[in-house]
Amino acid sequence: MFMLGIDLSCNELTRGIPRPMGNLIMLISLNLSHNNLVGPIPLEFSNLKQIESLDLSYNNLNGKIHPKLVDIVTLSVFTVAHDNLSGKTPGYILQFGTFDNGSYEGNLLLCGRPLSKVCNEIEP
Ligand SMILES: *[C@@H]1O[C@H](CO)[C@@H](O)[C@H](O)[C@H]1NC(C)=O
Ligand SMILES: *[C@@H]1O[C@H](CO)[C@@H](O)[C@H](O)[C@H]1NC(C)=O
Protein backbone atom coordinates (compact mmCIF):
# COMPACT_ATOMS: atom_id res chain seq x y z
CA MET A 1 0.00 0.00 0.00
CA PHE A 2 1.17 3.51 -0.84
CA MET A 3 1.82 5.65 2.22
CA LEU A 4 2.54 9.31 2.30
CA GLY A 5 4.11 11.72 4.74
CA ILE A 6 4.19 15.44 4.05
CA ASP A 7 6.48 17.77 5.96
CA LEU A 8 5.99 21.42 5.10
CA SER A 9 7.13 22.70 8.49
CA CYS A 10 9.13 25.92 8.69
CA ASN A 11 8.11 27.11 5.21
CA GLU A 12 6.64 30.54 5.93
CA LEU A 13 3.31 29.31 4.56
CA THR A 14 0.55 31.86 4.92
CA ARG A 15 -3.21 31.76 4.28
CA GLY A 16 -5.49 28.88 5.19
CA ILE A 17 -4.88 25.16 5.04
CA PRO A 18 -6.21 24.02 1.63
CA ARG A 19 -9.37 22.04 2.31
CA PRO A 20 -8.54 19.41 -0.38
CA MET A 21 -5.68 18.27 1.87
CA GLY A 22 -8.40 16.41 3.73
CA ASN A 23 -8.89 14.27 0.63
CA LEU A 24 -5.33 12.91 0.76
CA ILE A 25 -6.67 9.81 2.43
CA MET A 26 -3.38 7.96 2.08
CA LEU A 27 -1.66 10.47 4.36
CA ILE A 28 0.22 8.88 7.24
CA SER A 29 1.75 12.05 8.61
CA LEU A 30 1.35 15.75 8.05
CA ASN A 31 3.56 18.41 9.54
CA LEU A 32 2.52 22.01 8.90
CA SER A 33 4.10 23.38 12.06
CA HIS A 34 6.07 26.63 12.30
CA ASN A 35 4.35 28.51 9.50
CA ASN A 36 1.99 31.46 9.48
CA LEU A 37 -1.18 29.59 8.58
CA VAL A 38 -4.47 31.22 9.49
CA GLY A 39 -8.10 30.15 9.43
CA PRO A 40 -9.70 26.95 10.68
CA ILE A 41 -8.61 23.33 10.72
CA PRO A 42 -10.51 21.96 7.70
CA LEU A 43 -13.40 19.70 8.65
CA GLU A 44 -12.18 17.50 5.78
CA PHE A 45 -9.30 16.37 7.99
CA SER A 46 -11.75 14.00 9.65
CA ASN A 47 -11.56 12.01 6.38
CA LEU A 48 -7.90 11.17 6.99
CA LYS A 49 -8.50 7.61 8.09
CA GLN A 50 -4.87 6.47 8.13
CA ILE A 51 -3.09 9.46 9.56
CA GLU A 52 -0.89 8.73 12.56
CA SER A 53 0.76 12.10 13.10
CA LEU A 54 -0.76 15.56 12.66
CA ASP A 55 1.32 18.56 13.70
CA LEU A 56 -0.35 21.94 13.19
CA SER A 57 1.50 23.70 15.99
CA TYR A 58 3.11 27.15 15.88
CA ASN A 59 0.80 28.78 13.37
CA ASN A 60 -1.98 31.28 13.80
CA LEU A 61 -4.89 28.93 13.09
CA ASN A 62 -8.11 30.26 14.53
CA GLY A 63 -11.74 29.31 14.94
CA LYS A 64 -13.15 26.28 16.72
CA ILE A 65 -11.88 22.72 16.48
CA HIS A 66 -14.66 20.64 14.98
CA PRO A 67 -15.70 17.79 17.33
CA LYS A 68 -15.74 15.44 14.34
CA LEU A 69 -11.95 15.43 14.45
CA VAL A 70 -12.22 12.70 17.10
CA ASP A 71 -13.30 10.40 14.25
CA ILE A 72 -9.60 10.11 13.41
CA VAL A 73 -8.81 7.08 15.54
CA THR A 74 -5.44 6.31 13.95
CA LEU A 75 -3.65 9.32 15.46
CA SER A 76 -0.85 8.75 17.92
CA VAL A 77 0.61 12.27 17.63
CA PHE A 78 -1.57 15.37 17.48
CA THR A 79 -0.72 18.96 18.27
CA VAL A 80 -2.25 22.37 17.68
CA ALA A 81 -0.13 24.03 20.34
CA HIS A 82 0.66 27.73 19.94
CA ASP A 83 -2.06 28.62 17.50
CA ASN A 84 -5.03 30.91 18.10
CA LEU A 85 -7.85 28.38 18.32
CA SER A 86 -10.91 29.02 20.46
CA GLY A 87 -13.84 27.22 22.04
CA LYS A 88 -13.83 23.64 23.24
CA THR A 89 -11.22 21.00 22.61
CA PRO A 90 -12.67 18.34 20.28
CA GLY A 91 -13.45 15.96 23.12
CA TYR A 92 -11.42 13.84 25.49
CA ILE A 93 -12.44 10.52 23.98
CA LEU A 94 -11.06 7.74 21.75
CA GLN A 95 -7.53 8.59 20.58
CA PHE A 96 -8.10 12.18 21.64
CA GLY A 97 -8.32 10.90 25.20
CA THR A 98 -4.62 10.08 24.97
CA PHE A 99 -3.43 13.63 24.18
CA ASP A 100 -2.41 15.83 27.08
CA ASN A 101 -2.50 19.58 27.50
CA GLY A 102 0.77 19.88 25.57
CA SER A 103 -1.25 19.19 22.41
CA TYR A 104 -3.34 22.32 23.01
CA GLU A 105 -1.20 24.72 25.05
CA GLY A 106 -0.65 28.25 23.86
CA ASN A 107 -4.20 28.84 22.59
CA LEU A 108 -5.53 31.41 25.01
CA LEU A 109 -9.17 31.02 23.97
CA LEU A 110 -9.30 27.22 24.09
CA CYS A 111 -10.95 25.36 26.97
CA GLY A 112 -12.02 21.88 28.05
CA ARG A 113 -10.18 18.67 28.86
CA PRO A 114 -7.29 17.99 28.94
CA LEU A 115 -6.72 21.73 29.50
CA SER A 116 -7.26 22.92 33.04
CA LYS A 117 -9.34 25.84 31.76
CA VAL A 118 -13.01 24.90 32.16
CA CYS A 119 -15.40 26.00 29.41
CA ASN A 120 -18.00 28.55 30.35
CA GLU A 121 -21.15 26.87 29.04
CA ILE A 122 -23.04 30.14 28.82
CA GLU A 123 -21.92 31.83 25.61
CA PRO A 124 -22.13 35.62 25.79
C1 LIG B 1 7.32 18.90 12.73
O1 LIG B 1 8.38 19.72 12.30
C2 LIG B 1 9.01 20.45 13.33
C3 LIG B 1 10.03 21.41 12.71
O2 LIG B 1 10.74 20.79 11.68
C4 LIG B 1 9.64 19.46 14.30
O3 LIG B 1 10.27 20.16 15.35
C5 LIG B 1 8.53 18.58 14.87
O4 LIG B 1 9.07 17.60 15.74
C6 LIG B 1 7.77 17.89 13.75
N1 LIG B 1 6.60 17.21 14.32
C7 LIG B 1 6.49 15.89 14.35
C8 LIG B 1 5.22 15.37 14.96
O5 LIG B 1 7.34 15.12 13.95
C1 LIG C 1 -7.09 35.29 17.31
O1 LIG C 1 -8.40 34.94 16.94
C2 LIG C 1 -9.38 35.89 17.30
C3 LIG C 1 -10.73 35.35 16.89
O2 LIG C 1 -10.98 34.12 17.53
C4 LIG C 1 -9.08 37.20 16.58
O3 LIG C 1 -10.00 38.18 16.99
C5 LIG C 1 -7.66 37.65 16.93
O4 LIG C 1 -7.34 38.79 16.14
C6 LIG C 1 -6.67 36.56 16.62
N1 LIG C 1 -5.35 36.95 17.08
C7 LIG C 1 -4.31 37.00 16.27
C8 LIG C 1 -3.02 37.38 16.93
O5 LIG C 1 -4.38 36.74 15.08
Side-chain angles (χ1 to χ4, degrees):
M1 187 169 54
F2 183 64
M3 297 184 193
L4 185 61
I6 296 181
D7 185 352
L8 291 172
S9 62
C10 313
N11 264 290
E12 298 179 23
L13 299 179
T14 56
R15 303 177 188 247
I17 300 173
R19 292 173 61 179
M21 266 195 158
N23 298 327
L24 298 174
I25 54 170
M26 76 294 279
L27 264 187
I28 295 291
S29 68
L30 179 62
N31 192 341
L32 297 175
S33 70
H34 299 273
N35 284 297
N36 299 306
L37 294 166
V38 295
I41 299 170
L43 176 55
E44 286 81 356
F45 274 14
S46 60
N47 298 330
L48 301 173
K49 297 295 188 214
Q50 303 189 57
I51 194 160
E52 294 168 6
S53 175
L54 181 59
D55 188 344
L56 304 175
S57 63
Y58 294 93
N59 280 290
N60 201 15
L61 295 173
N62 62 334
K64 297 189 173 176
I65 306 176
H66 201 285
K68 210 169 154 44
L69 222 58
V70 301
D71 287 357
I72 317 176
V73 293
T74 47
L75 279 177
S76 56
V77 178
F78 169 78
T79 173
V80 291
H82 304 281
D83 277 303
N84 183 26
L85 295 161
S86 55
K88 279 186 184 169
T89 58
Y92 196 66
I93 53 168
L94 303 171
Q95 272 310 100
F96 280 76
T98 67
F99 306 133
D100 62 19
N101 57 327
S103 291
Y104 299 101
E105 68 187 6
N107 291 274
L108 290 178
L109 303 174
L110 207 54
C111 62
R113 286 186 76 188
L115 294 169
S116 51
K117 186 178 172 191
V118 177
C119 297
N120 182 0
E121 296 296 341
I122 304 151
E123 296 272 327

